[in-house]
Amino acid sequence: MTIKINPARLWNDIVESGKIGATEKGGLCRLALSDEDRRVREWFVEACRAEECEVRFDELGNLFARRLGRHSDLHPIAIGSHLDSQPTGGKFDGILGVLAGLEVVRTLNEHGIETEHPIEIIDWTNEEGARFAPAMQGSGVFAGALEKQAILSCRDREGRVFGEELDRIGFRGTDVCGDHPLDSYFELHIEQGPILEAEHKVIGIVVGVQGVRWYDLRLEGCASHAGTTPMKLRRDASLAAAETIVAVNRMAREIGEGALATTGLIDVHPNSRNVVPGSVFVTVDLRHAEIEVLDRMEARLKEIVTAICSEHRISETLDRLWDSPPVRFDDACVDAVRVSARKGDHPLREITSGAGHDAVYVSKVAPTAMIFIPCKDGISHNEIESARPEHVGAGASVLLDTVLLRDRHPD
Ligand SMILES: [Zn+2]
């Protein structure tokens, strides 16, 4: 028997829950642990209980809604994402993945399907990191990648403490965060980029998440008088920075194949109209899906900086301050997505995620895969973020088939 999700019901959930924290421009402001976060959690818990799910939350406020399976000793197959948003965020980022989980459960209930494994819907606390930094705190602690106490005591810009806000909205549980084994984890998400839409694809089979490396580059020349220092004698840190920015951009384009390089922040000293700039601070952000390519980009970055600085007699320090390696999702889980996606008649492609997701952390502790659908103009983290109802339905339908496939063939 093939059972189908109800796309209209899922769409209605997105619209209904989207009234909580709605902004005038059609988006959402639902910051983690705010009153709006509390209200959407309450809405979600009620919807899950109405489907006879058992709802628990752990000490970080991660929310788990469990539909029982035939074997209570099996670990649950989990479907999740996040219900919080950016301050001017959209109605789909994160929300889709959680509500599609609800739709899967509703569909199973409607058809009286008993799965072998329990099925769990998860809402991870503070994925966005907009109010409390860093991002993906709930899933990060769950996976043992972030330290629980540090997260519970971190503060927002008004000085309010994470743990106290969690108490205030009534979602601090007693379950130990991370002490909750999963059979597997699946996350449906909008792409948040332009690739699927540009290629007229409806389903993205996400094979992994690209790696990121951040660098601080400090260039030290000599500040001197703009009217009296001959061109030949200058040690212009700004000039070296400018050449570096151009060269780093060219390097990424030469490497091609998804290599990304960004010099997003620049500070010039003394930043005065008639002074040859003495020192400059520039950030470099390098991204790629393969560690070997990231290594190559890093080696090229060092060569570029050394060559330019020696030409302009600048002394430099280049520090790598963050290294988030690329993630390859679990082969069996990706394959389950692939098989399920091919069952439908939607155009599809394999894709690497450009953005981070809860699935990145969860993949450290459970076999994980993701499904992408297109979003309009590739825009996300914006109130105009939008996805088409038929794509939302297609994504949720692949999610249901994937979960059922995993349930029958767990490896
Ligand atoms: Zn998200």
Side-chain angles (χ1 to χ4, degrees):
M1 175 172 78
T2 48
I3 58 164
K4 296 215 172 308
I5 60 118
N6 180 339
R9 184 169 55 192
L10 170 53
W11 189 260
N12 185 59
D13 281 340
I14 293 172
V15 172
E16 273 307 306
S17 70
K19 291 176 181 166
I20 304 168
T23 60
E24 272 174 23
K25 290 182 188 155
L28 285 183
C29 177
R30 215 194 267 160
L31 296 173
L33 312 186
S34 63
D35 288 342
E36 291 74 26
D37 190 8
R38 183 189 67 218
R39 283 168 54 212
V40 77
R41 283 164 178 261
E42 287 166 353
W43 177 90
F44 176 66
V45 167
E46 198 184 309
C48 291
R49 289 197 175 131
E51 295 298 322
E52 281 160 27
C53 289
E54 183 210 359
V55 179
R56 309 184 64 88
F57 30 96
D58 68 18
E59 53 195 340
L60 260 280
N62 293 319
L63 231 152
F64 305 84
R66 177 182 293 222
R67 178 184 190 267
L68 295 179
R70 195 186 318 256
H71 305 288
S72 53
D73 54 321
L74 291 178
H75 297 149
I77 299 176
I79 303 168
S81 202
H82 57 96
L83 293 173
D84 70 321
S85 85
Q86 291 286 329
T88 53
K91 283 197 293 288
F92 298 89
D93 172 4
I95 324 301
L96 171 64
V98 179
L99 298 188
L102 178 59
E103 178 53 34
V104 165
V105 164
R106 284 182 166 162
T107 305
L108 294 174
N109 284 350
E110 189 173 50
H111 292 84
I113 307 280
E114 186 177 37
T115 52
E116 303 296 321
H117 300 71
I119 305 291
E120 248 179 30
I121 319 166
I122 306 179
D123 169 30
W124 299 108
T125 299
N126 189 25
E127 192 276 345
E128 294 291 359
R131 181 180 174 198
F132 298 96
M136 299 179 278
Q137 292 182 332
S139 53
V141 174
F142 184 85
L146 297 177
E147 211 263 309
K148 177 176 74 188
Q149 214 41 57
I151 301 302
L152 284 170
S153 54
C154 77
R155 290 169 187 270
D156 68 7
R157 263 164 296 188
E158 271 94 56
R160 279 175 300 218
V161 180
F162 183 107
E164 290 167 13
E165 286 294 279
L166 192 54
D167 285 331
R168 189 184 66 82
I169 68 163
F171 278 92
R172 197 203 291 247
T174 49
D175 290 1
V176 174
C177 185
D179 186 12
H180 190 111
L182 304 176
D183 165 82
S184 49
Y185 175 75
F186 297 96
E187 185 165 349
L188 169 65
H189 208 282
I190 54 168
E191 181 200 340
Q192 304 185 280
I195 296 169
L196 293 176
E197 185 181 64
E199 296 182 5
H200 305 288
K201 305 287 197 239
V202 174
I203 299 293
I205 301 156
V206 188
V207 293
V209 180
Q210 68 183 354
V212 190
R213 291 183 191 178
W214 279 359
Y215 306 84
D216 281 351
L217 173 60
R218 288 183 177 79
L219 303 170
E220 211 59 53
C222 182
S224 57
H225 197 296
T228 61
T229 319
M231 296 307 282
K232 265 168 65 175
L233 297 181
R234 294 182 178 199
R235 296 175 59 213
D236 185 339
S238 192
L239 179 62
E243 290 186 7
T244 301
I245 290 167
V246 172
V248 165
N249 178 278
R250 188 180 301 132
M251 175 268 285
R253 282 185 289 140
E254 277 166 9
I255 287 177
E257 272 308 298
L260 302 170
T262 307
T263 40
L265 191 161
I266 173 162
D267 250 330
V268 180
H269 288 276
N271 212 17
S272 170
R273 172 193 307 270
N274 54 353
V275 180
V276 175
S279 64
V280 173
F281 172 77
V282 194
T283 61
V284 183
D285 169 314
L286 302 182
R287 302 188 188 223
H288 198 273
E290 282 159 45
I291 224 156
E292 300 73 37
V293 180
L294 280 172
D295 287 343
R296 228 162 75 218
M297 293 171 80
E298 180 173 294
R300 287 283 296 122
L301 171 66
K302 286 178 182 163
E303 282 167 24
I304 287 166
V305 170
T306 311
I308 290 170
C309 289
S310 89
E311 186 191 337
H312 297 291
R313 294 175 298 125
I314 302 291
S315 63
E316 80 274 10
T317 52
L318 179 66
D319 296 317
R320 182 165 90 185
L321 72 153
W322 188 44
D323 180 10
S324 170
V327 171
R328 296 283 310 172
F329 286 138
D330 179 76
D331 284 342
C333 288
V334 172
D335 214 47
V337 172
R338 192 180 288 119
V339 169
S340 305
R342 283 186 185 145
K343 263 176 62 186
D345 48 7
H346 300 291
L348 47 90
R349 97 194 291 276
E350 310 224 329
I351 190 166
T352 298
S353 176
H357 295 286
D358 291 307
V360 171
Y361 280 138
V362 182
S363 73
K364 294 179 189 294
V365 290
T368 293
M370 290 187 80
I371 304 162
F372 276 177
I373 59 161
C375 56
K376 190 172 185 298
D377 300 324
I379 291 172
S380 183
H381 285 188
N382 189 315
E383 290 159 281
I384 64 167
E385 176 189 280
S386 176
R388 302 207 348 216
E390 60 271 30
H391 295 168
V392 165
S397 140
V398 172
L399 179 68
L400 169 66
D401 290 347
T402 303
V403 166
L404 289 176
L405 188 60
R406 174 78 190 180
D407 186 48
R408 275 173 262 126
H409 306 282
D411 42 26

